Amino acid sequence: MESGPAPDTVALAKIVARQRAELDRLRDQAATAAVVERAKGAVMALTGCSPDAAGEELVQRAKTAERTLLEECWITLGSLIPPPPDTAEQPGAAPRVTASTACGTAGERTRDLGRLGKALVRVGTPQDLARCLLEHLSPGDSADAIMIFARLPSGGLELIGHAGIDATLAAQWRQVPPLSGIAALDALEARRPRWLEDIRADRKRYLLIGDPPERWLSRAWLPVVTRDTAEVCIGFLRTETGPFTPDVREHLMAVARLCAGRLRAFDPRSGSAPDPVADAVQQVLNILPGATMLLSPLRAASGGIEDYRVSAATEEAFDLLGRTGRELVGLRLLECFPTLSEEQPLWRGCLETLTTGDPYEGEPFAQQAVVGGVAELSMYSVRVSRLGDALALSWIRHDPSDRQEQRLADVQRLGNLGWANWNLITHEVSWSSQVYAVLGRDPEQGPVRITAMPDLTLPEDVPALTRAVGELVGRGRPCALPFRVRAADGIRHLRIVAEAVTDIHGTPVEVHGFLQDLTAQRSAELALVESEQAIVTQHDILRSERMLAARLQHALLPLPTRPQQLSGLRVEVTYLPAQSGIHVGGDWFSAIELPDGDALFVVGDVAGHGIDAVATMAQLRFTAKGMVITGSSLTGALTRLNTLLLHSRDSHGTATMVMARYSPDERRLVWAQAGHPPPLLLRDGEVSYLERPSGMLLGASASPHFTESEFRLEPGDRLLLYTDGLVERPTEGIDRGLKRLAESMVARHTEGPGSLGPMLADLLEGERRDDVCVVDVRVPLDEF
């Protein structure tokens, strides 16, 4: 009885299978990326847009046409020349299928085209293309045979690919002379599809392929644009009879357009005649090591360089898809490296070298390539030299040690530091180039010994650095010390960090370390300290100003500790300063009994905060009382106060104000206002705002107009005068605040004293951003 395979053998076979699958996946991925990048390059060349914009354009085209991105890329590559007029409807031809008539098959055909686009990535020859088409056409569009003809320079046809036909028939139609009656040739010359759907009528017009011709009862010949003219025609041969439906026609034409990009990639006429110089160079490159290409420039009609053709290559040369050596010859540079663009330094370097003859050496760059089926990312340096009318492009792959050195240089540059080494026995000194940049020292002056380092510093820093260096070279004590040097751009703040290497006796024999430029960091620290000091100073000034303004305000605006009786009215006053900010506001009030027995109520709000606002508030408060006491009307007082604000140097901006005079004998209240919110009246459980008489804020105009309004107070009435801080909030309009005040006055009203506090607590939730001043006037019931 035979035993099965060993477990190790089975495991090894599974590993090999997985590696092969991963290898195929990587190859497909690299090939797909190349197709996408070539299509992006085509869009960039046609529109002049950036690589990102070209990629977005391809994505949008694919979405609009309901195609996959890969399918759209193949169509774009095949449509670099405007499509032939075959897409126009021919007389008698079936109309194009629309979205509504093809809704049942559009999704399936889009998926078919997507699968075909992916399959085209692995197609390498026209023969492979024919087999691919025969295999991947959808069932509804299935062809029993595929024939691909290319036009010859003599005008005839050459069969370059076929599938589904036998070798004998292929040999018979390998070369077709330029005769009339050949459907494929007719389609190429007219650049229109030829739909042969009735074999009896078609055999009268064309020489039909087949032995016998009835082998295929219907056939379609579709020209494909691969260059300036239609040079390739694809034939779809079917054994079934009947016409090609509109959606089938549309799908087959899409397949032809999809194949155009692939046909253009391996078009045998896309090359040029043999170049003896290139052949000679190739013989030399065959024996040279390294990766080198000979590039022949390809010029557009305008004379500019549009690409380069690889005329020769060494065996170690490779491209993005993993092709090497002679496989690259005949290809274009952008086909080998699709990600290369005109904006990149290498492309510009090639143009400069071709124009001036000066060699170009590029900065090291990372490049991923498929080598042996494995994607690798390596660092390279590139060099371009002119060779006659061509360019020699060579690149060197850096080994790990080179990459490590480059990384060290990058760390020094990015960290603005450099390493240094001092041999205390031989007195040899080694500095990196960055040390000279840090010190601002000319490299031609050379390095200095470790003991001479204090000579480079400012005089103030010499003693400390001298002690640290002495401890370092004498006792081997590590050194980490900041110091300053004078450079061409000013004073630099540096730091030295070094340690000693000792012999077996503990004697220092070598010192190594680094020097770092901390000027930017130190400047930022000093600026931060200065800013903090300025903030503290400003805060102290503002705090002192607030304290002074608050004392001045309390002195000028004393608040009564309990309700007052004025002309038979009970008056309660509240002033609440803002909780945010550091300035005192300009809100104020007056509630006094006049010599004739009337009562005067005034509430005002000066724009701004601080000492200036408090000074203006005091000026308006005392002037207003004095004017009314001496006989001025309310409107007259407002007019004079407006003039005072306009012409007084000590005044502060603008102000709003409401003034009311109450006569107890008639229970009449006369009031006027200057841009101030209206008083709120509570009567018999209902609230209403008094209708405002005309009047604009004080200090805004040289010719204001003020009017008065009056009404009669009734027993039990409650009248509220207030500043805008009670009703305004930053996130809402004042109308909403007025509504909230009216609702709270009804809800929180009580007949006894003290109801003002709960109402204000209800209205002023959260942090107050402005001062609040309220005068609460009540008409007692027992007075009447």
Side-chain angles (χ1 to χ4, degrees):
M1 181 176 179
E2 297 182 358
S3 61
D8 293 343
T9 303
V10 175
L12 181 60
K14 291 182 178 180
I15 294 175
V16 172
R18 287 196 299 269
Q19 290 179 341
R20 286 178 177 174
E22 179 65 14
L23 178 60
D24 292 340
R25 187 189 68 80
L26 289 174
R27 285 175 174 168
D28 288 348
Q29 182 178 358
T32 301
V35 173
V36 174
E37 293 300 327
R38 287 180 58 201
K40 287 170 61 177
V43 174
M44 290 166 58
L46 292 174
T47 64
C49 64
S50 65
D52 293 340
E56 182 64 25
E57 174 68 17
L58 289 172
V59 172
Q60 293 299 326
R61 289 182 186 178
K63 290 182 179 179
T64 303
E66 297 183 349
R67 304 188 184 104
T68 64
L69 177 59
L70 185 61
E71 174 192 345
E72 184 63 37
C73 291
W74 278 122
I75 292 178
T76 300
L77 291 174
S79 304
L80 295 181
I81 306 300
D86 64 289
T87 55
E89 295 182 7
Q90 306 175 45
R96 283 184 178 272
V97 63
T98 64
S100 59
T101 60
C103 60
T105 60
E108 296 178 2
R109 299 192 186 283
T110 299
R111 289 190 293 271
D112 293 340
L113 288 175
R115 288 191 292 268
L116 177 59
K118 292 182 179 179
L120 288 178
V121 173
R122 294 185 290 273
V123 169
T125 65
Q127 186 64 29
D128 294 338
L129 177 60
R131 297 192 188 99
C132 179
L133 290 176
L134 189 63
E135 179 182 354
H136 288 88
L137 284 179
S138 58
D141 309 323
S142 61
D144 299 285
I146 301 292
M147 300 183 75
I148 304 176
F149 282 101
R151 191 202 303 264
L152 295 172
S154 61
L157 298 177
E158 178 185 4
L159 183 65
I160 61 174
H162 62 85
I165 66 173
D166 53 71
T168 301
L169 185 61
Q172 292 174 355
W173 289 88
R174 178 69 61 186
Q175 298 286 335
V176 181
L179 303 175
S180 61
I182 304 299
L185 191 57
D186 186 21
L188 287 175
E189 292 176 348
R191 299 182 70 185
R192 296 176 180 273
R194 291 294 180 252
W195 309 98
L196 280 60
E197 301 165 325
D198 185 350
I199 192 171
R200 293 183 179 180
D202 294 335
R203 69 194 317 165
K204 297 177 181 179
R205 299 176 55 197
Y206 300 112
L207 178 62
L208 300 181
I209 298 176
D211 188 17
E214 290 78 10
R215 178 178 178 182
W216 294 291
L217 299 178
S218 60
R219 56 201 81 193
W221 294 97
L222 276 65
V224 180
V225 177
T226 57
R227 294 183 65 81
D228 295 339
T229 60
E231 299 289 345
V232 177
C233 187
I234 302 178
F236 300 89
L237 286 66
R238 305 190 308 180
T239 57
E240 63 178 289
T241 187
F244 293 86
T245 61
D247 58 325
V248 171
R249 289 190 179 194
E250 184 73 19
H251 184 64
L252 291 180
M253 287 190 290
V255 169
R257 290 193 297 270
L258 190 63
C259 295
R262 200 65 191 133
L263 285 168
R264 184 175 180 272
F266 46 66
D267 185 355
R269 279 162 298 284
S270 63
S272 60
D275 185 357
V277 176
D279 292 341
V281 173
Q282 182 63 64
Q283 296 298 324
V284 176
L285 294 183
N286 287 339
I287 60 176
L288 289 180
T292 303
M293 290 180 178
L294 180 67
L295 303 178
S296 300
L298 300 177
R299 299 186 181 274
S302 60
I305 303 297
E306 65 176 5
D307 206 343
Y308 299 88
R309 180 180 295 108
V310 181
S311 300
T314 62
E315 288 301 320
E316 295 184 24
F318 64 91
D319 70 352
L320 190 64
L321 302 183
R323 293 172 292 199
T324 60
R326 296 298 295 270
E327 295 178 342
L328 304 173
V329 176
L331 299 178
R332 296 190 174 194
L333 184 62
L334 292 180
E335 291 179 330
C336 299
F337 300 97
T339 57
L340 185 62
S341 66
E342 296 182 359
E343 291 81 11
Q344 294 183 359
L346 176 57
W347 185 274
R348 296 196 298 266
C350 289
L351 291 178
E352 184 70 19
T353 300
L354 193 62
T355 303
T356 64
D358 297 332
Y360 166 77
E361 294 187 6
E363 295 290 334
F365 65 95
Q367 176 66 53
Q368 180 170 315
V370 179
V371 180
V374 179
E376 295 182 353
L377 183 66
S378 302
M379 296 296 298
Y380 295 89
S381 292
V382 65
R383 177 182 174 86
V384 182
S385 303
R386 192 170 73 179
L387 184 61
D389 295 333
L391 296 176
L393 172 66
S394 60
W395 60 95
I396 301 175
R397 180 184 178 188
H398 298 287
D399 59 26
S401 62
D402 294 335
R403 297 179 63 183
Q404 189 69 22
E405 183 177 347
Q406 181 61 40
R407 289 172 180 170
L408 178 59
D410 291 340
V411 169
Q412 294 184 81
R413 176 177 52 83
L414 296 174
N416 207 6
L417 56 85
W419 61 264
N421 189 83
W422 293 273
N423 191 309
L424 304 181
I425 304 300
T426 64
H427 302 295
E428 294 180 357
V429 182
S430 177
W431 283 2
S432 69
S433 59
Q434 194 66 24
V435 173
Y436 295 97
V438 167
L439 291 171
R441 183 180 177 86
D442 189 347
E444 294 184 358
Q445 295 180 287
V448 300
R449 295 183 180 182
I450 182 66
T451 53
M453 284 296 297
D455 298 337
L456 304 179
T457 66
L458 295 183
E460 297 87 346
D461 297 338
V462 169
L465 187 57
T466 301
R467 287 193 299 271
V469 171
E471 292 289 330
L472 175 65
V473 301
R475 304 174 59 182
R477 181 171 296 177
C479 169
L481 187 72
F483 65 97
R484 294 167 296 171
V485 299
R486 188 180 300 277
D489 56 353
I491 302 299
R492 294 186 181 181
H493 295 263
L494 309 182
R495 178 178 64 154
I496 182 172
V497 178
E499 64 180 3
V501 178
T502 61
D503 58 13
I504 59 176
H505 303 293
T507 303
V509 295
E510 184 178 274
V511 172
H512 57 256
F514 67 85
L515 281 81
Q516 186 176 17
D517 188 352
L518 302 177
T519 304
Q521 176 181 341
R522 183 58 178 163
S523 299
E525 292 174 352
L526 293 175
L528 180 60
V529 170
E530 292 177 358
S531 177
E532 291 176 347
Q533 292 176 348
I535 292 174
V536 171
T537 302
Q538 183 67 17
H539 184 271
D540 292 341
I541 294 174
L542 294 177
R543 183 172 58 182
S544 300
E545 180 181 336
R546 178 179 175 84
M547 293 176 61
L548 176 60
R551 292 176 181 176
L552 180 60
Q553 186 183 51
H554 289 312
L556 299 175
L557 192 65
L559 291 174
T561 58
R562 59 180 181 272
Q564 295 178 292
Q565 298 292 328
L566 300 176
S567 303
L569 303 177
R570 190 180 71 200
V571 181
E572 186 175 352
V573 178
T574 298
Y575 174 82
L576 301 174
Q579 293 176 325
S580 63
I582 62 174
H583 292 298
V584 176
D587 291 17
W588 56 278
F589 71 92
S590 286
I592 62 173
E593 188 170 310
L594 300 174
D596 60 0
D598 290 356
L600 176 66
F601 305 106
V602 185
V603 171
D605 185 2
V606 175
H609 296 80
I611 294 178
D612 292 338
V614 173
T616 303
M617 174 268 292
Q619 188 179 39
L620 293 178
R621 181 172 186 262
F622 292 113
T623 304
K625 289 194 299 182
M627 288 182 180
V628 176
I629 290 175
T630 56
S632 293
S633 65
L634 300 184
T635 55
L638 290 176
T639 301
R640 290 179 175 84
L641 291 173
N642 180 76
T643 304
L644 178 65
L645 280 181
L646 287 176
H647 298 284
S648 176
R649 293 183 179 180
D650 298 331
S651 64
H652 183 75
T654 59
T656 66
M657 186 184 301
V658 59
M659 303 179 69
R661 181 168 185 161
Y662 174 71
S663 299
D665 295 338
E666 303 172 357
R667 288 183 291 170
R668 180 170 59 94
L669 183 78
V670 179
W671 72 288
Q673 62 87 27
H676 202 86
L680 179 61
L681 175 66
L682 174 63
R683 175 175 289 174
D684 298 330
E686 296 183 358
V687 292
S688 63
Y689 286 98
L690 302 186
E691 184 175 352
R692 292 202 313 172
S694 61
M696 62 189 307
L697 76 166
L698 302 177
S701 173
S703 56
H705 177 67
F706 301 103
T707 60
E708 295 178 348
S709 180
E710 65 175 72
F711 71 98
R712 182 183 176 86
L713 287 176
E714 301 293 341
D717 285 353
R718 183 181 182 185
L719 188 67
L720 208 66
L721 286 74
Y722 53 91
T723 56
D724 56 7
L726 186 63
V727 293
E728 284 187 346
R729 290 185 181 177
T731 59
E732 63 184 24
I734 193 171
D735 291 340
R736 186 171 179 181
L738 293 173
K739 180 181 179 182
R740 183 170 52 250
L741 172 59
E743 293 174 349
S744 179
M745 190 170 181
V746 174
R748 298 293 183 178
H749 174 70
T750 59
E751 294 297 337
S755 64
L756 187 58
M759 183 181 70
L760 295 180
D762 183 38
L763 291 171
L764 301 175
E765 295 180 355
E767 186 180 54
R768 291 190 301 278
R769 297 178 177 269
D770 197 3
D771 298 350
V772 175
C773 184
V774 180
V775 175
D776 186 7
V777 180
R778 301 188 186 220
V779 183
L781 291 172
D782 55 2
E783 293 292 330
F784 301 93

